Amino acid sequence: MKKHIFSCLLAFVSLVSYAQTRLSEDAQISLLTCSPSDEAVYTLYGHTAIRVRDVIQIDSVNQRVLDTVFNYGIFDFSKPNFIYRFVKGETDYRLEAYDFKHFLPEYEMRGSEVYEQVLNLTYEEKAALWQALLINLQPENKVYRYNFFYDNCSTRPAVLVERCIDGSIAYSDHSMPKTFREMINHCTRNEPWVTFGCDLIVGYPADRIATVHESFFIPDYLKNAYSEAWIIRADGTKRKLVSEETILATVDAEDVNKQPTVFTPFIVTSLFFLLILLITLFEWRKKTYFRWLDCLLFFVAGLAGCIIFFLSFISEHPSMWPNISIIWLHPLHLIGVVLFAVKKLNKAAYCYHFINFVALFGLLPVWFFIPQHLNIAFIPLIASLWLRSEYCLLRKKVSIV
């Protein structure tokens, strides 16, 4: 409690100090882009912040040259029910301002490249952006509801810069059009299990082509767009948005060239299907039935289906619904487990397997025609569920107990 009060007081004192500071003509405002690192899942996408540096002004809090980073990516793991709130889409991020000397080492330790782009702003534009940052830093404004695709640490600085310039920003887009999913999957290309998870829970809306502005949710896309952007004023005059670009921290070559694991999702799920196939063939030859296998397999599928159902219909995360994965992973599998476990319900279990068999049999042939991207590692899992339903239908016909 005392630590929390101390932090609040320190933040208040800092805010008062900044509010009394007027930038000089020599002040620089920069966009800082931190490249992805594999330290944690949330660092795979990179990070963006704004740096304000003024060699003329003295920060009265730190008693040194004003060199402050405004970071919209602060969140607190220790908050009650953090995981639940994150899954439900109720995660609150906040803006914090602190000395640049504390910012750079953090990302150097992560193994991130830190790239600085000094914005080519007039004094009036710098002053307007400075005041906008201070307004955002006020206690009633600093906390915001995080949204991965549309409102995050990268989109907020982009919006703020556009609002504070005299004119409009023209972006050059030479890249091939990409969907939201293609962009996030590129970030997780060296972490195939993260890609697998994202493909499983993120629905069809993520397969829409993103506009240039919408691509700014990925820090690298914002950085690249700024490199070739122009500020165009109402009178038709224009100037480059970025006046200077510098690499403040470099990346270890070993981290850049990191190879993905051999045990990719497709390899693991294929081995899993092979195991299910061998067990099923053994059952067929021995004319027996391992009831426990169906109970276990469909129980796990049902739990995964509960997660997809929650994200699709209860979570506030965007782009989660519609999700075609719910055809083969859904909570109804848990009802199936009850039917499989009780011998007196064999007829009902047969009906369940028949419906599941038809649904999955119809899904596989239209795989490449579905508008939603489905990870290739899903195929062995779908085939496993399909195979078990097929075996149970055949078992009924040949009277295998």
Side-chain angles (χ1 to χ4, degrees), residues 106 138 222 245:
E106 177 183 355
Q138 292 176 358
L222 178 61
E245 298 182 277

Side-chain angles (χ1 to χ4, degrees), residues 1-200:
M1 184 64 180
K2 291 181 179 179
K3 182 180 178 181
H4 179 69
I5 295 174
F6 176 77
S7 299
C8 292
L9 289 175
L10 182 60
F12 176 76
V13 172
S14 299
L15 180 60
V16 172
S17 171
Y18 291 139
Q20 295 173 346
T21 301
R22 181 181 177 85
L23 296 183
S24 71
E25 294 278 354
D26 296 326
Q28 288 185 341
I29 299 183
S30 308
L31 187 78
L32 300 177
T33 303
C34 307
S35 67
S37 72
D38 59 358
E39 183 181 76
V41 173
Y42 64 86
T43 66
L44 293 174
Y45 306 96
H47 184 56
T48 299
I50 294 178
R51 179 187 184 185
V52 180
R53 185 170 184 267
D54 193 344
V55 296
I56 305 300
Q57 292 293 340
I58 301 297
D59 184 344
S60 60
V61 174
N62 300 302
Q63 297 301 312
R64 61 174 66 92
V65 169
L66 177 65
D67 194 356
T68 303
V69 171
F70 290 81
N71 186 347
Y72 283 92
I74 306 299
F75 61 92
D76 187 359
F77 272 125
S78 65
K79 280 194 172 184
N81 304 315
F82 178 85
I83 299 298
Y84 171 78
R85 291 176 63 85
F86 181 83
V87 173
K88 195 172 184 294
E90 296 180 348
T91 308
D92 289 332
Y93 275 47
R94 70 179 187 273
L95 169 66
E96 292 293 355
Y98 51 92
D99 200 280
F100 175 75
K101 73 171 187 175
H102 299 303
F103 177 87
L104 190 60
E106 177 183 355
Y107 289 90
E108 288 179 318
M109 291 177 63
R110 287 184 182 181
S112 294
E113 176 185 86
V114 180
Y115 196 86
E116 181 177 32
Q117 294 171 298
V118 179
L119 302 181
N120 185 21
L121 306 178
T122 64
Y123 175 73
E124 289 75 16
E125 290 168 339
K126 295 176 194 174
L129 184 52
W130 172 248
Q131 289 303 315
L133 288 167
L134 295 183
I135 291 173
N136 277 195
L137 193 60
Q138 292 176 358
E140 65 271 23
N141 300 327
K142 65 191 306 181
V143 177
Y144 69 98
R145 180 57 51 86
Y146 176 82
N147 184 310
F148 181 74
F149 286 136
Y150 304 112
D151 195 356
N152 65 13
C153 66
S154 186
T155 61
R156 290 231 155 193
V159 170
L160 210 59
V161 171
E162 288 190 348
R163 288 177 179 174
C164 294
I165 62 164
D166 181 13
S168 60
I169 300 178
Y171 300 101
S172 298
D173 184 23
H174 302 304
S175 61
M176 293 291 292
K178 291 182 176 64
T179 65
F180 290 89
R181 192 187 304 274
E182 287 172 336
M183 287 187 280
I184 62 175
N185 284 358
H186 178 74
C187 294
T188 61
R189 61 193 180 279
N190 291 329
E191 300 291 342
W193 284 102
V194 177
T195 302
F196 174 86
C198 291
D199 284 343
L200 188 64

